[in-house]
Amino acid sequence: MTAPATVRTRFCPSPTGLVHVGLVRTALFNWAHARHAGGAFVFRIEDTDAARDTEESYRHLVDSLRWLGLDWDEGPEVGGPHGPYRQSERHDVYREVAAKLLAAGSAYESFSTPEEVEARRLAAGQDPKLGYDNADRYLTDAQKAAFRDEGRRPVLRLRMPEEDLGWTDLVRGEVRFTAGAVPDFVLVRANGAPLYPFVNPVDDALMGITDVLRGEDLLPSTPRQLALYAALADIGIGTGAPRFGHLPLVTGEGTRKLSKRDPQSNLDVHRERGFLPEGLVNYLALLGWAIAEDRDVFTPAELVAAFDVTRVSANPARFDLRKAEAINATHLRALPVEEFVERVTPFLAAVGLVADPPTDDQRRVLTAIAPLAQERMVVLSDAVDLLGFLFTDEVALDPGAVGKQLSGSGAVEVLDAASAALADLADWSTAEIEAALRTALVDGLGRKPRQAFGPVRVAVSGRTVSPPLYESIELLGRERTLARLSAARGAAG
RNA sequence: GCCCCCAUCGUCUAGCGGUCCAGGACGCCGCCCUUUCAAGGCGGUAGCACGGGUUCGAACCCCGUUGGGGGCACCA
């Protein structure tokens, strides 16, 4: 098999619900493979199941791909020479191809009902799981007519070849299924509706897809698709089968495939928490692939430059949220300040902390605190708890923090001393604030730094964990700081 | 049940016959730094599933066992 001149990959989800991270990983590898090869990435919507597909889900898919930065060269909202790219708009194409396949003898009409097939298997002492028994392969015209007279409508089945079917998988190497293992499968339903095993290869052939990267769960369906591609080529559609690469499954907590029921499988959950798209893309790429022996943080551009599908691992990969968060945190810290402010604003605005866009003053504070906040955050939504105190007049004191730092008379002493030290401070700067507090609390009161600054931190931020104290106080301003010190004094004791 | 895939630290992986008494990352545990929390620095913990071959030599190749997973629709 010679490599095609131009690589064309595709992502062809069905708009039936949430966007699964395993699905995203598949899209990502197809995208990276196409981009690396300088080829094309095609986006196609497989909405042939009217009962389950929704317009909302379709729009969500488009939006998710955009958010992730996986741009497509052909597909919905972009167009292209092989459209339409939604299968619900391609029924005429399928009808025509089905008719040609039937005329060529590659496909045939089958009248057996599932119940009849099962009954025959049972009668022969066989496992019904074996499926269809190819019984209708050589029906005469008279037999077909008789069935029609009974009011039966046939399904269209592909005649599977009597030979082993194998291919060289891009990630697994040689894979081979023995002849007869796959029964003649249904292309078109009795009601005329074309099925996925039919439309998927038809569109791939028509759209010139050269490389199919998909989940391992689809590996067992490859032999029948190989047979279909051959039959299609015979009637002048496409040039035979594309290259296949079956990606390892993404598993959840246990060893099972990550379930739709598992919250972690939902892309939106991560997006709403404030994962960066490049952080998630980085992590997802690590599920089955490595950029280098001693490195695992990289940008999408670096991924594209280095991606090689033949280096993808064949074993299942567990979705590990902790590692995903660690990778995301690294990307978060690497963000330039303006970029960070830009991205975090929607999360603060959503809870009313800042305006969107922020006011000049809010922007000033955000920009100043950004470097200190970035290295304390894992996801963007962390900013709400971490920075909220800077954007409200009165901070809510965390009960746990109050118990830890404001109980006992010592706290009152500290707060009073801090107030006195800051009340008339000439130069309201981080350095002066630190000097004044140290003089008053550490030297004056003889407190250890840990005991001295704990109560002040809680008073100012409401929490035991906050950005660095002196910087926070400076940004908060004298008035609010003194008010909080005094409010905390009321809660202390 | 049948078919197929997979098998290196708890997890994701590097390793593509000798440079491996197996490297990195996450996690975990220490120590340093330190106003909290992080970040950062240093150190540690832990793995080639088992059994046969092939070979001068195997984590790497072959076979088997065991274990795990996926698929067996007129759903995608």
Side-chain angles (χ1 to χ4, degrees):
Chain A
M1 202 181 329
T2 42
T6 306
V7 166
R8 289 174 61 83
T9 67
R10 51 39 164 201
F11 174 54
C12 50
S14 201
T16 57
L18 88 215
V19 178
H20 191 280
V21 293
L23 190 72
V24 172
R25 204 273 314 257
T26 299
L28 174 61
F29 280 20
N30 276 288
W31 175 81
H33 181 54
R35 290 285 170 267
H36 177 83
F41 179 53
V42 179
F43 184 18
R44 182 174 76 229
I45 300 292
E46 307 226 327
D47 52 351
T48 53
D49 186 354
R52 299 199 306 160
D53 300 321
T54 68
E55 188 66 16
E56 181 193 6
S57 176
Y58 155 71
R59 280 195 304 270
H60 187 43
L61 234 13
V62 170
D63 177 56
S64 296
L65 231 46
R66 288 242 164 83
W67 178 71
L68 287 159
L70 305 186
D71 57 318
W72 54 98
D73 303 294
E74 296 174 29
E77 303 192 1
V78 170
H82 304 287
Y85 292 91
R86 295 182 68 174
Q87 292 186 330
S88 55
E89 297 168 9
R90 299 174 62 80
H91 279 100
D92 291 346
V93 172
Y94 307 133
R95 221 185 325 276
E96 188 185 328
V97 174
K100 282 185 184 167
L101 248 18
L102 178 62
S106 300
Y108 64 92
E109 293 175 321
S110 170
F111 294 83
S112 295
T113 64
E115 294 73 28
E116 289 168 337
V117 172
E118 184 174 340
R120 285 199 295 266
R121 286 292 189 190
L122 256 17
Q126 297 167 330
D127 186 345
K129 279 257 168 76
L130 257 24
Y132 176 66
D133 54 2
N134 298 354
D136 300 326
R137 267 195 173 184
Y138 304 106
L139 257 25
T140 63
D141 287 345
Q143 286 172 307
K144 290 183 204 169
F147 277 131
R148 284 186 207 282
D149 288 344
E150 288 176 30
R152 293 163 87 133
R153 308 284 301 154
V155 298
L156 193 68
R157 289 184 187 272
L158 188 79
R159 195 184 305 276
M160 289 295 289
E162 311 285 342
E163 62 196 31
D164 289 3
L165 289 166
W167 70 99
T168 305
D169 198 272
L170 291 168
V171 345
R172 280 151 220 279
E174 295 301 318
V175 181
R176 178 149 245 94
F177 285 75
T178 48
V182 187
D184 295 346
F185 64 100
V186 177
L187 265 19
V188 181
R189 275 203 267 208
N191 68 5
L195 263 16
Y196 161 80
F198 174 55
V199 299
N200 178 273
V202 166
D203 282 345
D204 282 349
L206 254 17
M207 295 179 182
I209 302 303
T210 61
D211 298 66
V212 171
L213 270 30
R214 27 133 70 159
E216 186 193 345
D217 49 340
L218 290 169
L219 190 147
S221 72
T222 307
R224 62 187 189 189
Q225 302 206 330
L226 254 19
L228 216 205
Y229 282 113
L232 289 172
D234 284 346
I235 58 171
I237 295 176
T239 54
R243 299 191 293 187
F244 287 96
H246 288 91
L247 309 174
L249 253 24
V250 176
T251 68
E253 278 310 310
T255 47
R256 299 298 185 79
K257 184 162 77 163
L258 187 60
S259 154
K260 284 194 173 91
R261 256 75 62 188
D262 185 333
Q264 291 189 4
S265 73
N266 189 348
L267 175 70
D268 291 355
V269 167
H270 303 108
R271 184 174 172 180
E272 283 159 15
R273 276 188 70 205
F275 257 85
L276 265 22
E278 62 269 44
L280 200 58
V281 158
N282 186 161
Y283 176 66
L284 256 15
L286 254 16
L287 260 25
W289 183 77
I291 194 167
E293 181 171 350
D294 55 358
R295 176 174 173 219
D296 59 13
V297 174
F298 45 84
T299 64
E302 290 170 321
L303 161 66
V304 166
F307 191 74
D308 177 357
V309 67
T310 67
R311 309 267 314 167
V312 169
S313 155
N315 33 339
R318 166 102 106 262
F319 185 88
D320 179 3
L321 188 60
R322 307 284 290 179
K323 175 131 184 177
E325 289 175 342
I327 296 285
N328 193 67
T330 305
H331 283 272
L332 198 43
R333 288 196 297 276
L335 248 28
V337 167
E338 286 87 89
E339 182 72 24
F340 171 76
V341 170
E342 195 70 24
R343 302 224 210 172
V344 84
T345 294
F347 288 83
L348 294 173
V351 291
L353 253 12
V354 303
D356 193 0
T359 63
D360 287 349
D361 194 52
Q362 288 168 341
R363 188 177 293 282
R364 193 199 97 240
V365 172
L366 271 175
T367 301
I369 203 70
L372 302 174
Q374 279 172 273
E375 66 184 29
R376 289 169 172 74
M377 292 167 53
V378 168
V379 290
L380 291 169
S381 65
D382 288 343
V384 172
D385 282 342
L386 189 67
L387 306 181
F389 76 97
L390 290 169
F391 302 100
T392 55
D393 287 335
E394 283 176 41
V395 73
L397 299 176
D398 173 66
V402 170
K404 237 177 281 180
Q405 296 289 354
L406 296 183
S407 61
S409 56
V412 173
E413 211 177 28
V414 167
L415 295 174
D416 283 343
S419 291
L422 297 177
D424 300 311
L425 194 61
D427 179 17
W428 192 259
S429 68
T430 294
E432 290 303 308
I433 290 165
E434 171 172 7
L437 287 177
R438 278 193 184 280
T439 302
L441 308 180
V442 179
D443 301 340
L445 259 30
R447 300 300 173 99
K448 287 199 162 71
R450 186 173 292 268
Q451 275 81 48
F453 299 114
V456 179
R457 180 184 305 282
V458 173
V460 165
S461 72
R463 308 167 73 239
T464 53
V465 173
S466 78
L469 186 57
Y470 320 124
E471 286 84 348
S472 297
I473 289 175
E474 185 194 338
L475 285 170
L476 206 49
R478 190 191 313 261
E479 198 176 326
R480 278 192 296 176
T481 300
L482 292 177
R484 287 183 193 191
L485 251 13
S486 129
R489 194 188 187 289

